[in-house]
Amino acid sequence: MSQAKPPYSAVARTSQEMSSQHVRFAHEQHLSEATDIEESELFDMRARPTETMEAADNDALYYAVSLGSRRRTRKVLYLVFADGLIRDLPCRSYSGRVFWVTVLSLVVVSVVGMVWLYSDGISWMQRSKKRNVILMISDGFGPASETMARNYVQQINGLPIGYKSPLDEILVGSSRTRSKDSLVTDSAAGATAFSCLMKTYNGAIAVAEDKMPCGTVLEAAKLQRGMLTGLVATSRITHATPASFSAHVTHREMEDLIAEYQIGNYSLGPVVDLMFGGGRCHFMPNTHANVSCRMDARDLWSEAQAAGFNTLSTRKQFDALDSHGSGAAKALPILGAFASSHMDYEIDRDAAAQPSLAEMSAKALGILDAATKKKNAGFFLMIEGSRIDMAAHTNDPAAHLRDIIAYWDAIAVVRKFVEEHPDTVLISVSDHETGGFSTAKQLTPEYPEYLWNPRALEHVRHSIEYISYKLLAQPADDQEARYKYVRDTVFADWLGVKDSKHEEIIAVAKETESIRLRQLLSDVISNRAQVGWATHGHSAVDVNLYAYGLNAHLLRGNQENTDIGQFIVDQLGLDLGKISGKIKADRVIQGTHAIKESWLGRRDLDALDHYPAAH
């Protein structure tokens, strides 16, 4: 994205401010040159003949030009103006020469000043102003999913047809999603486009195509601007999206090493001040078999505590955090992992055990705001609605819907914060779409009906993931008991299906393989809602781009995903190249075997699922 010119107010200065600004710059950058001029008393014009005055004029012009320019510019201007123009001035009188020197000096200073303002100057002013950047990522959330959620909320609640969601109101454009090696990205490459401003291969966590680490906007915000930083997610905090801002590994499955990065075990030290999410198992040693998923015996939870982290694992500890008073800053750094693996889907979440995405977002904003209240540096916060994507991988429309609405709740929290803090910008974007989702599904070979049915999702009480886990735990040898369990508990109670067919119940009750069972359950819900899925993976469609607050208008239109990261860099005046240079020798390959994450769903190509009503 080409760098947009900032509004005039971003560079405006009074003449007095500009004058004092240049004096300070001259004093710091050219002290020795100024001293030489002063000591030679060349500025005492009354005591010097014409030759000396000419030299004084030349040196004065050189000194003025040097205030806002680079060395090359200074040398060229000196040669051209000082040695050429001044000597050829038409007026040879003393007063005339002084007049023309003054005019030329003002012209040169003005030109150089403008160049400085629109290059180094703007960057300097950006770095000197307090700003907050909140990047929200709705993983796997495509345009059709926004339509589904809007239709659902509008119809179920009897709202006007013109109802707009919290996202609809701040839509500014769209984002392209392809990675370096595929038109269809994964979350790792998608998040790295935001964090490092570069296209890389699928699976890469903040490393370039050559597998060298790339500096991230979070790292640069921390080290170059002194900002506080945070990550909030409903996945494991070591999962692809949060990892791409806080770690550097050649493949996303290396979550043991990602966890080491996140508590500061690399050359930059700790750069993340606050982490809320799941994934506690990657911080626990494998000697704790029931709570660990690490492949080694390192106890990163204890290491984090020793490094000063305030570690949280329960809802009670979360609620006890002071997010507004004087204790907020003292609580940092924080590592809060409220589930061993991913946090629960919103549709399954026990509010007494796990905070919601909106609650974690509000708590993070309160703590970071309170901790930066009296500082000139703000904060960078990444918030991910992680499980929107995972529900779509399973082709679970009800879980997908509820996590979207939970994301809307978080958006509302952040929007309120932005309204109260005009130095803040909110960006909301997806890394990709998942499922090839559509608000349409043809159920018969005949010409299809033009409808979809949001009310079929209203009474679903649990995710397909939860239901399949519970069902597979039932004894397989008692088919009669399983049949009744499926009919009365799974269909009637959990899925809200009152018109179940014998064939559906039998198929679900007999299935003992998890992936096929999930597909059967998906069909039960999706067919009744008449929503469609093209894949259990990702798609290549553009995703919606939303923004609100400071300079949000600069994101209007269709953007590459790397443009989102560039916007953040421009907002904060960051230099990611310098960060990359500092971490080029850091380890990017995990020493132990990485756990391959299981596929969340599989399309059985032999299944008669295109027109189920016809068979």
Side-chain angles (χ1 to χ4, degrees):
M1 180 173 66
S2 59
Q3 184 172 352
K5 186 179 295 185
Y8 179 71
S9 61
V11 295
R13 290 286 188 275
T14 64
S15 58
Q16 182 177 1
E17 288 174 325
M18 289 298 294
S19 175
S20 62
Q21 177 177 301
H22 281 300
V23 169
R24 287 195 301 274
F25 188 88
H27 178 73
E28 295 170 359
Q29 300 295 324
H30 304 283
L31 181 61
S32 61
E33 296 170 356
T35 303
D36 291 341
I37 294 172
E38 291 170 2
E39 288 179 353
S40 63
E41 297 181 347
L42 289 175
F43 283 95
D44 185 2
M45 295 182 180
R46 294 168 295 177
R48 300 296 175 188
T50 301
E51 293 78 12
T52 306
M53 293 304 300
E54 183 174 275
D57 293 338
N58 292 350
D59 282 340
L61 180 58
Y62 174 84
Y63 179 68
V65 170
S66 70
L67 297 183
S69 65
R70 303 178 186 273
R71 292 186 179 275
R72 289 195 304 272
T73 307
R74 184 171 66 221
K75 183 175 181 180
V76 171
L77 289 174
Y78 173 78
L79 293 174
V80 173
F81 287 97
D83 290 344
L85 294 181
I86 293 177
R87 295 185 181 183
D88 292 333
L89 290 175
C91 181
R92 294 293 181 181
S93 66
Y94 171 78
S95 60
R97 187 178 294 276
V98 171
F99 170 78
W100 282 108
V101 167
T102 303
V103 169
L104 286 172
S105 298
L106 291 173
V107 169
V108 170
V109 170
S110 298
V111 171
V112 173
M114 291 299 291
V115 171
W116 180 78
L117 281 174
Y118 285 95
S119 56
D120 293 339
I122 288 176
S123 177
W124 176 83
M125 282 182 278
Q126 286 170 333
R127 292 192 298 271
S128 67
K129 288 177 68 80
K130 182 176 182 178
R131 289 183 174 181
N132 304 316
V133 173
I134 305 165
L135 174 61
M136 299 186 69
I137 299 174
S138 46
D139 200 327
F141 178 45
S145 298
E146 170 71 5
T147 301
M148 173 192 66
R150 183 199 309 122
N151 290 166
Y152 175 87
V153 170
Q154 183 267 321
Q155 286 207 8
I156 298 303
N157 295 287
L159 300 176
I161 291 176
Y163 162 76
K164 292 184 178 181
S165 77
L167 283 176
D168 289 331
E169 294 171 338
I170 59 172
L171 178 68
V172 296
S174 58
S175 172
R176 305 175 189 182
T177 62
R178 69 163 298 166
S179 65
K180 182 72 173 179
D181 62 345
S182 177
L183 291 172
V184 180
T185 190
D186 84 321
S187 293
T192 298
F194 301 144
S195 68
C196 287
L197 285 64
M198 68 168 58
K199 300 281 189 180
T200 189
Y201 60 90
N202 284 353
I205 298 291
V207 295
E209 190 177 17
D210 62 2
K211 301 186 178 180
M212 291 295 292
C214 55
T216 72
V217 291
L218 182 146
E219 292 168 328
K222 179 69 175 179
L223 298 179
Q224 295 175 352
R225 289 208 54 173
M227 300 173 76
L228 291 181
T229 61
L231 299 171
V232 174
T234 51
S235 66
R236 295 188 294 270
I237 202 68
T238 53
H239 210 238
T241 300
S244 294
F245 290 84
S246 56
H248 307 272
V249 297
T250 58
H251 200 277
R252 58 185 293 172
E253 294 172 354
M254 300 178 183
E255 293 187 55
D256 287 359
L257 180 53
I258 289 168
E260 294 176 31
Y261 268 96
Q262 290 177 329
I263 65 169
N265 287 348
Y266 75 123
S267 59
L268 299 183
V271 294
V272 189
D273 296 295
L274 180 148
M275 289 176 274
F276 289 156
R280 191 167 60 250
C281 67
H282 281 287
F283 295 88
M284 305 302 290
N286 62 5
T287 52
H288 295 52
N290 295 330
V291 296
S292 175
C293 53
R294 287 190 67 84
M295 300 300 290
D296 60 27
R298 284 193 67 173
D299 186 349
L300 295 188
W301 197 256
S302 296
E303 289 184 31
Q305 292 170 340
F309 277 89
N310 181 13
T311 55
L312 317 173
S313 59
T314 68
R315 175 71 197 238
K316 183 178 180 180
Q317 291 173 318
F318 174 83
D319 290 339
L321 277 176
D322 181 1
S323 59
H324 297 289
S326 58
K330 296 178 182 178
L332 297 172
I334 300 171
L335 171 58
F338 307 107
S340 181
S341 185
H342 302 307
M343 297 182 72
D344 291 340
Y345 284 114
E346 181 63 23
I347 198 171
D348 301 324
R349 183 177 65 88
D350 179 358
Q354 294 182 5
S356 68
L357 182 64
E359 289 171 327
M360 291 192 294
S361 299
K363 184 78 74 171
L365 288 171
I367 292 172
L368 295 174
D369 182 50
T372 58
K373 188 73 74 177
K374 297 181 180 180
K375 297 181 180 179
N376 192 45
F379 61 82
F380 171 83
L381 175 63
M382 192 287 296
I383 301 171
E384 184 191 29
S386 318
R387 305 220 68 189
I388 297 172
D389 168 74
M390 298 176 193
H393 275 293
T394 312
N395 291 179
D396 185 343
H400 188 57
L401 168 69
R402 298 306 201 287
D403 266 70
I404 291 169
I405 295 173
Y407 185 78
W408 284 359
D409 291 342
I411 285 287
V413 167
V414 177
R415 281 184 57 180
K416 184 176 184 294
F417 181 89
V418 173
E419 288 163 2
E420 297 169 351
H421 298 78
D423 53 358
T424 303
V425 63
L426 155 67
I427 309 145
S428 176
V429 67
S430 304
D431 47 358
H432 54 76
E433 192 274 347
T434 301
F437 177 76
S438 64
T439 49
K441 185 171 186 179
Q442 185 166 344
L443 298 177
T444 71
E446 287 76 35
Y447 194 78
E449 297 178 276
Y450 289 170
L451 60 83
W452 85 274
N453 178 25
R455 292 195 177 276
L457 306 178
E458 181 180 6
H459 300 294
V460 180
R461 295 179 53 196
H462 284 295
S463 69
I464 289 173
E465 178 183 281
Y466 175 95
I467 294 172
S468 63
Y469 175 81
K470 291 291 187 180
L471 183 53
L472 292 173
Q474 298 299 311
D477 54 354
D478 190 344
Q479 283 299 307
E480 183 178 353
R482 284 177 68 89
Y483 183 93
K484 290 180 179 179
Y485 183 82
V486 170
R487 182 191 63 194
D488 300 337
T489 301
V490 174
F491 278 66
D493 190 12
W494 292 345
L495 298 180
V497 173
K498 307 302 183 183
D499 61 346
S500 58
K501 299 178 178 62
H502 172 72
E503 295 78 8
E504 291 179 307
I505 299 172
I506 279 289
V508 171
K510 286 184 174 181
E511 187 55 65
T512 58
E513 201 278 324
S514 176
I515 293 176
R516 288 196 294 268
L517 176 58
R518 294 184 188 194
Q519 184 61 57
L520 289 170
L521 293 170
S522 171
D523 290 340
V524 169
I525 308 170
S526 298
N527 291 348
R528 284 170 171 78
Q530 288 191 231
V531 295
W533 305 91
T535 177
H536 283 284
H538 301 168
S539 74
V541 301
D542 291 359
V543 293
N544 290 347
L545 174 59
Y546 308 91
Y548 189 61
L550 183 66
N551 292 331
H553 64 283
L554 299 178
L555 286 169
R556 288 175 183 161
N558 180 260
Q559 312 286 354
E560 275 292 344
N561 51 12
T562 50
D563 294 342
I564 313 303
Q566 185 64 58
F567 173 81
I568 296 171
V569 164
D570 293 343
Q571 282 282 105
L572 301 179
L574 307 177
D575 186 343
L576 302 192
K578 290 183 178 178
I579 301 297
S580 299
K582 292 179 178 181
I583 59 176
K584 61 184 179 181
D586 280 304
R587 184 161 59 108
V588 295
I589 298 177
Q590 186 171 300
T592 56
H593 175 69
I595 300 175
K596 185 174 179 60
E597 191 165 22
S598 61
W599 193 4
L600 294 174
R602 184 191 70 187
R603 172 72 67 187
D604 184 352
L605 299 180
D606 296 325
L608 299 174
D609 61 350
H610 287 85
Y611 308 111
H615 301 283

